[in-house]
Amino acid sequence: VLSILLGPFSVTHASESEIDEVGGFVAGTLVHTVSGREEIQFLRPGMTADVYSCNTEEKCEITESVVKELLPTRTDRIIRVTVGREIFKCNPDQKFFDALSHSWILAKNLNPSCHKFLLLDGKIVEIDSVEHIDDTEEVYELTVEGNECYYVGERGILVHNFLVASLPLTALTIATMKF
């Protein structure tokens, strides 16, 4: 059973001028929630998702947060990121957490030889390939409360909403994180 929080939440559509500023993943992308993995297009405001929370520079942990908004948009550019047997298709402006630089990297700037992803279990995983594809698809940007980051895919790769605030993650080193 998903936790529901009532409030002023809505599903909205981005205008064409906002598309270049929006991240998001194609339908079928799995998002980690308190009840298991859910396909992104089926998430609704009020549902609870697993998020990454860093309250201090000494402790980061996985917590729960409420989905605030699901923003479906169309894009004519897709970035295809392959990690092991998983393929992620997303908007070029989707942000991934790079475990090497400890910063958020846009999908369009990912480089397998320079970046690695942080998984839900705290492990670091290599990126096998990144492809830029001219293809029109609908993507879904998920906005969650709090630190506004969430996990996608079978193993849970840390990603961020399109509205990036300055987070303590950038000042941390993986070695000091406690899970």
Side-chain angles (χ1 to χ4, degrees):
V1 177
L2 291 171
S3 299
I4 301 296
L5 178 67
L6 300 175
F9 305 111
S10 64
V11 175
T12 60
H13 290 271
S15 68
E16 291 198 22
S17 64
E18 294 174 308
I19 288 176
D20 288 338
E21 299 173 6
V22 176
F25 293 90
V26 299
T29 301
L30 297 176
V31 175
H32 288 251
T33 71
V34 294
S35 63
R37 292 178 292 267
E38 301 280 343
E39 292 185 9
I40 195 166
Q41 73 275 16
F42 297 127
L43 295 175
R44 293 291 176 254
M47 290 180 163
T48 304
D50 294 335
V51 299
Y52 197 68
S53 176
C54 289
N55 297 325
T56 72
E57 290 192 16
E58 297 175 6
K59 183 168 174 86
C60 290
E61 59 191 5
I62 297 163
T63 61
E64 297 174 5
S65 186
V66 175
V67 172
K68 290 182 356 186
E69 188 173 52
L70 185 67
L71 184 68
T73 61
R74 296 201 62 78
T75 182
D76 60 359
R77 295 172 311 244
I78 291 289
I79 303 297
R80 180 181 166 163
V81 180
T82 304
V83 178
R85 292 178 289 202
E86 275 192 281
I87 296 171
F88 299 92
K89 291 170 67 179
C90 61
N91 187 299
D93 293 327
Q94 176 60 50
K95 293 168 181 71
F96 290 83
F97 183 72
D98 176 39
L100 298 179
S101 68
H102 308 259
S103 61
W104 299 103
I105 307 294
L106 296 175
K108 64 186 173 190
N109 296 331
L110 287 171
N111 181 332
S113 65
C114 298
H115 303 114
K116 293 186 181 186
F117 291 148
L118 180 64
L119 298 178
L120 181 66
D121 63 7
K123 294 179 182 172
I124 296 172
V125 66
E126 292 186 12
I127 303 167
D128 294 313
S129 66
V130 178
E131 300 173 66
H132 297 248
I133 302 168
D134 290 328
D135 189 18
T136 301
E137 290 204 43
E138 186 164 56
V139 295
Y140 298 85
E141 172 58 41
L142 178 64
T143 303
V144 295
E145 290 180 342
N147 277 344
E148 302 178 338
C149 24
Y150 55 98
Y151 294 92
V152 296
E154 287 291 334
R155 296 189 291 171
I157 292 174
L158 183 60
V159 299
H160 202 289
N161 295 347
F162 68 95
L163 299 173
V164 172
S166 178
L167 295 176
L169 276 174
T170 57
L172 296 174
T173 60
I174 297 302
T176 63
M177 290 184 186
K178 297 176 185 142
F179 293 91

